[in-house]
Amino acid sequence: VHWGTFSLALHAWDQPAETLLERAPQLGVQLVMPQLGEAVEPAHAPVVQPWWRAVDARPPAASDRQAPAMTLPRSMPWPID
């Protein structure tokens, strides 16, 4: 599951991970929650470290900052070439 990659829900991006982390021990489930892009062998996965908590603590990188919104004119000739 690629959670936290896209904003597709009304809840906080890390809420599913926090819920899983809280409920897994109660249900006897072993989690595998690698950092984005981290290779993991599920059979030998380490104990989950909630790495996502530090993500919001860091200032956004220059590449993460949003560019100014682009607007289109109210009318445009057709076809747009």
Side-chain angles (χ1 to χ4, degrees):
V1 175
H2 294 276
W3 61 270
T5 306
F6 306 100
S7 290
L8 299 175
L10 299 176
H11 55 70
W13 75 275
D14 60 349
Q15 185 264 327
E18 292 293 342
T19 300
L20 285 171
L21 193 62
E22 177 186 336
R23 301 217 37 221
Q26 301 164 2
L27 300 170
V29 175
Q30 180 183 355
L31 297 175
V32 178
M33 301 175 78
Q35 292 188 33
L36 300 175
E38 179 183 3
V40 175
E41 172 57 50
H44 304 289
V47 174
V48 173
Q49 298 296 321
W51 57 265
W52 55 89
R53 292 177 182 165
V55 171
D56 287 333
R58 292 185 300 209
S63 61
D64 292 341
R65 294 188 194 110
Q66 291 183 344
M70 261 179 40
T71 58
L72 296 174
R74 290 187 182 270
S75 65
M76 296 186 71
W78 188 259
I80 302 171
D81 297 311

